[in-house]
Amino acid sequence: MGSNSSRIGDLPKNEYLKKLSGTESVSENDPFWNQLLSFSFPAPTSSTELKLLEEATISVCRSLVENNPRTGNLGALIKVFLSRTKELKLSAECQNHIFIWQTHNALFIICCLLKVFICEMSEEELQLHFTYEEKSPGSYSSDSEDLLEELLCCLMQLITDIPLLDITYEISVEAVSTMVVFLSCQLFHKEVLRQSISHKYLMRGRCLPYTSKLVKTLLYNFIRQEKPPPPGAHVLPQQSDSGGLLYGLASGVATGLWTVFTLGGVGSKAAAAPELSSPLANQSLLLLLVLANLTDAADAPNPYRQAIMSFKNTQDSSPFPSSNPHAFQINFNSLYMALCEQQTSDQATLLLYTLLHQNSNIRTYMLARTDMENLVLPILEILYHVEERNSHHVYMALIILLILTEDDGFNRSIHEVILKNITWYSERVLTEISLGSLLILVVIRTIQYNMTRTRDKYLHTNCLAALANMSAQFRSLHQYAAQRIISLFSLLSKKHNKVLEQATQSLRGSLSSNDVPLPDYAQDLNVIEEVIRMMLEIINSCLTNSLHHNPNLVYALLYKRDLFEQFRTHPSFQDIMQNIDLVITFFSSRLLQAGAELSVERVLEIIKQGVVALPKDRLKKRLSEYGLRYRSDTQKCNEGF
């Protein structure tokens, strides 16, 4: 490094890095720093190049780890950076490219070192390295100003206060990325941290007053999706569109972090790295999610989560609650539009889930929107392409649907939104369909995919819970949606018969052999019967509450009425089969009276006439408690997510 351009392969032999990590102390006023920070670095554009960078610099970093207690050079580097940031805003106003470029490079080196230090040592050792000073080699002063806290406060000020211009874009990205790397301590601990340095500095002390301002800035960075400056406007020589070296380094750290925070770090497949048009927006989102998912301190709740839970719309003039000092206002319309546009990334879906689950203001606002299809369609696309998504993304999309379907107004309104030409749905050409019917089709397809591939009971249960929440408000179901509901029941029925047959054969075999262990068919049978019962509840709820709105479902029910025969006398389903059996018997008799060789149109006409003739009091309502149970289960699921 230094005044000339550097290559990855040259870094271990670089004289400036050797001096930084060597045995000689360098004063923070030494001209050496100007030489060290005047470098142009070709940014790695792949994970392979990033790995090469780490391998090339590991010897330098370990040398600094060994020598820093005697030299205090890490502290000197940080002090050089801190002194420069005091003039950063003025430099941006004066268009001082060189000053901002060198300040960016200082932060770049700090972040690279910080990543290695966090990987190599405990938090206690890391804190000590920030206290070593040149004037007292090998020791530290407990009275000295806490350099680590000062660095974090400086980063927060840089993110929130420095105007976002072409010449400050890169250093803004690096500031956010450095905070992400700092928070990566959790990755190296199996237990959940509640007394980490992140709790010590970010949840109390000098950093605490910046809480709401930081969260608001990160949200607006996500909303605005500011692209990197064009060639020629960079402070640094033109780098790749992916946002620079540190973007790639910290993005990997952050992705691992929020993965661990959400679903335990196990996915069905790795998420493909999307092409990002705004590195600053992406890094800001990752930092926001990591901050929001920090555990509460032993003596205080997470203030960043409090800020996310309580912010309000800019059009809301009601006073802030005095109990929450971190509340603020943001433009809900802009946030909603950004969320609708960014759902291709799983971190944006996690943000949507977080806001819907934790912020009642944003949830109320979204449910009142008249263009909910802009939000729901991207979520349905995630579920539709389940085989291409990691399990985290699929689960989050499903939980979002569960939260939305807890609202009866949402369940009614989605059947009033008519969509045309859904091109991504390939099983059948859908020239015109309601959003509600499309939602049913996609959820049923997810269930069928799960039955044949992943066999995840959690996914099954929550897909059916979403359908159950909606079922009382089913309106004007598309004929294909009605067919798929009955087809899914048919599939479950066949599976039930197969498992029952296997259990019977196994029981017969056990009479002749006591040595062979038997498969647990009883458990399999209980699971499949529970799912069948849920499907019957969904059908029953629709017939009981909105029979007159759904002639296509009655038609599909009559067409496949033989499927339900075996469950009429089954002890597990007798109670719930009463209404379904009544509807089948009533309409079958009317069709029989109308004669044979009836056209589809004529059958539907008879069904519509019969709906008027069928006394409503003959159908017994029994799903009110069931609907409340699914709301309770959904809430429980959210709390454990």
Side-chain angles (χ1 to χ4, degrees):
M1 292 188 175
S3 58
N4 297 321
S5 297
S6 303
R7 294 180 304 172
I8 290 178
D10 297 332
L11 294 180
K13 298 175 288 185
N14 185 281
E15 59 178 296
Y16 297 102
L17 289 179
K18 281 186 175 182
K19 185 172 182 178
L20 173 67
S21 61
T23 57
E24 179 186 349
S25 295
V26 184
S27 167
E28 58 192 270
N29 299 316
D30 197 300
F32 161 79
W33 298 110
N34 284 332
Q35 297 169 325
L36 173 69
L37 301 179
S38 298
F39 66 85
S40 302
F41 198 89
T45 56
S46 66
S47 58
T48 302
E49 291 181 1
L50 285 169
K51 187 175 181 181
L52 288 174
L53 172 69
E54 291 187 10
E55 292 173 350
T57 55
I58 192 66
S59 61
V60 173
C61 294
R62 286 176 176 169
S63 178
L64 182 62
V65 169
E66 181 181 347
N67 294 319
N68 187 59
R70 292 184 295 276
T71 66
N73 283 347
L74 175 64
L77 171 62
I78 292 171
K79 288 175 182 177
V80 169
F81 169 73
L82 292 175
S83 67
R84 285 174 168 271
T85 56
K86 294 174 183 177
E87 303 175 41
L88 202 57
K89 185 180 289 189
L90 180 61
S91 298
E93 294 173 358
C94 298
Q95 297 286 302
N96 190 338
H97 289 242
I98 299 299
F99 187 88
I100 296 174
W101 168 44
Q102 290 183 333
T103 308
H104 168 275
N105 286 347
L107 182 56
F108 173 90
I109 296 173
I110 291 169
C111 190
C112 289
L113 292 172
L114 184 61
K115 182 175 185 292
V116 175
F117 274 51
I118 288 173
C119 293
E120 296 277 322
M121 63 186 67
S122 67
E123 288 191 320
E124 292 75 14
E125 292 174 298
L126 176 66
Q127 286 180 281
L128 279 177
H129 274 277
F130 278 81
T131 61
Y132 295 130
E133 298 177 354
E134 176 195 356
K135 60 185 179 184
S136 53
S139 63
Y140 63 93
S141 170
S142 58
D143 298 329
S144 64
E145 189 172 15
D146 195 323
L147 201 58
L148 183 52
E149 182 177 31
E150 190 175 353
L151 174 62
L152 284 171
C153 285
C154 178
L155 291 174
M156 295 174 86
Q157 288 174 332
L158 198 160
I159 294 168
T160 58
D161 295 343
I162 299 301
L164 189 60
L165 309 170
D166 283 352
I167 62 172
T168 60
Y169 187 94
E170 292 291 345
I171 195 170
S172 297
V173 174
E174 307 300 7
V176 175
S177 298
T178 304
M179 287 201 67
V180 172
V181 171
F182 170 75
L183 288 164
S184 66
C185 294
Q186 177 68 72
L187 288 174
F188 305 97
H189 293 80
K190 292 182 179 179
E191 72 281 0
V192 176
L193 296 178
R194 299 186 186 278
Q195 295 288 350
S196 67
I197 54 177
S198 60
H199 290 86
K200 177 180 179 181
Y201 295 115
L202 294 178
M203 295 193 184
R204 55 176 66 87
R206 293 168 57 194
C207 292
L208 188 60
Y210 293 98
T211 297
S212 58
K213 196 172 183 180
L214 178 62
V215 171
K216 184 175 182 177
T217 300
L218 295 175
L219 277 171
Y220 269 124
N221 285 347
F222 168 72
I223 289 169
R224 290 167 180 151
Q225 295 289 316
E226 293 282 356
K227 296 181 180 180
H234 283 260
V235 174
L236 305 177
Q238 177 61 23
Q239 299 180 355
S240 68
D241 289 339
S242 60
L245 164 67
L246 209 53
Y247 158 71
L249 181 149
S251 182
V253 171
T255 301
L257 262 177
W258 76 258
T259 293
V260 170
F261 282 133
T262 52
L263 289 168
V266 180
S268 57
K269 63 191 296 185
E275 290 187 18
L276 298 166
S277 60
S278 177
L280 179 60
N282 185 70
Q283 292 301 91
S284 296
L285 176 54
L286 292 173
L287 175 57
L288 182 66
L289 292 171
V290 174
L291 288 170
N293 285 283
L294 288 174
T295 54
D296 293 336
D299 56 348
N302 179 347
Y304 303 94
R305 187 183 301 121
Q306 283 189 314
I308 288 172
M309 289 172 62
S310 58
F311 71 81
K312 302 190 303 181
N313 196 351
T314 50
Q315 297 179 353
D316 187 346
S317 58
S318 61
F320 288 112
S322 57
S323 58
N324 187 356
H326 307 299
F328 61 92
Q329 289 180 298
I330 203 166
N331 188 306
F332 276 16
N333 181 65
S334 299
L335 178 58
Y336 177 80
M337 298 305 294
L339 287 167
C340 292
E341 293 169 1
Q342 299 299 321
Q343 288 307 305
T344 51
S345 74
D346 37 5
Q347 53 263 40
T349 305
L350 178 56
L351 176 63
L352 174 58
Y353 159 77
T354 302
L355 295 177
L356 279 173
H357 173 43
Q358 298 187 359
N359 190 313
S360 59
N361 298 322
I362 195 74
R363 182 170 61 251
T364 301
Y365 173 85
M366 288 186 178
L367 288 169
R369 295 280 302 203
T370 57
D371 59 347
M372 276 297 288
E373 67 273 15
N374 292 334
L375 185 68
V376 175
L377 282 173
I379 299 301
L380 295 183
E381 278 198 70
I382 295 168
L383 292 176
Y384 184 79
H385 298 292
V386 58
E387 64 278 357
E388 300 172 11
R389 306 289 183 179
N390 64 58
S391 61
H392 302 191
H393 206 176
V394 172
Y395 284 138
M396 287 185 291
L398 183 55
I399 297 300
I400 287 168
L401 285 185
L402 270 173
I403 295 173
L404 295 175
T405 58
E406 288 179 3
D407 184 78
D408 287 341
F410 170 83
N411 294 332
R412 285 190 297 270
S413 65
I414 56 175
H415 292 286
E416 298 169 1
V417 178
I418 305 301
L419 308 169
K420 295 186 178 181
N421 300 319
I422 308 299
T423 55
W424 49 263
Y425 193 94
S426 58
E427 276 83 353
R428 178 165 172 161
V429 176
L430 299 175
T431 55
E432 187 172 287
I433 189 171
S434 71
L435 179 60
S437 290
L438 181 63
L439 195 157
I440 293 167
L441 287 175
V442 172
V443 171
I444 288 176
R445 184 181 183 277
T446 306
I447 294 172
Q448 291 180 322
Y449 174 86
N450 186 50
M451 287 176 66
T452 57
R453 304 286 184 86
T454 56
R455 300 184 180 181
D456 184 340
K457 183 184 177 183
Y458 173 85
L459 193 66
H460 248 33
T461 302
N462 287 285
C463 283
L464 290 168
L467 292 177
N469 285 342
M470 294 169 58
S471 58
Q473 278 82 34
F474 282 173
R475 294 290 188 276
S476 304
L477 290 184
H478 191 280
Q479 60 179 11
Y480 185 53
Q483 290 170 16
R484 299 309 296 160
I485 291 173
I486 304 303
S487 294
L488 176 59
F489 184 81
S490 175
L491 186 64
L492 292 168
S493 177
K494 291 175 182 176
K495 191 172 181 65
H496 177 267
N497 293 338
K498 182 179 179 181
V499 173
L500 189 60
E501 183 180 350
Q502 289 173 335
T504 304
Q505 292 177 352
S506 176
L507 185 61
R508 290 172 182 167
S510 67
L511 299 176
S512 59
S513 175
N514 295 323
D515 300 328
V516 180
L518 297 176
D520 191 2
Y521 288 114
Q523 182 178 356
D524 291 345
L525 203 59
N526 286 336
V527 171
I528 193 67
E529 286 185 355
E530 180 183 339
V531 175
I532 287 174
R533 183 172 182 85
M534 292 170 77
M535 278 301 300
L536 289 172
E537 290 275 16
I538 290 165
I539 296 170
N540 181 74
S541 171
C542 178
L543 296 178
T544 305
N545 294 282
S546 53
L547 177 66
H548 55 295
H549 290 298
N550 293 290
N552 284 328
L553 182 62
V554 177
Y555 183 98
L557 198 65
L558 294 172
Y559 190 76
K560 294 283 187 178
R561 54 181 171 254
D562 293 344
L563 284 174
F564 298 88
E565 190 65 32
Q566 61 177 310
F567 299 104
R568 290 178 59 191
T569 56
H570 195 291
S572 298
F573 309 115
Q574 272 184 318
D575 58 334
I576 200 167
M577 276 297 299
Q578 291 179 9
N579 285 342
I580 297 173
D581 189 41
L582 173 63
V583 169
I584 290 174
T585 303
F586 177 82
F587 286 98
S588 294
S589 65
R590 293 184 73 89
L591 291 177
L592 190 62
Q593 295 171 12
E597 303 296 330
L598 299 174
S599 65
V600 173
E601 291 75 14
R602 178 57 182 151
V603 171
L604 286 171
E605 185 182 343
I606 294 170
I607 290 172
K608 291 174 183 178
Q609 294 170 351
V611 165
V612 177
L614 178 64
K616 292 182 179 180
D617 57 358
R618 292 185 61 184
L619 294 174
K620 299 178 181 178
K621 289 196 175 185
R622 51 164 282 103
L623 203 71
S624 57
E625 298 85 2
Y626 186 76
L628 289 174
R629 188 174 77 235
Y630 273 118
R631 284 175 173 79
S632 174
D633 287 349
T634 303
Q635 182 66 24
K636 197 179 298 180
C637 178
N638 288 338
E639 290 169 355
F641 190 66

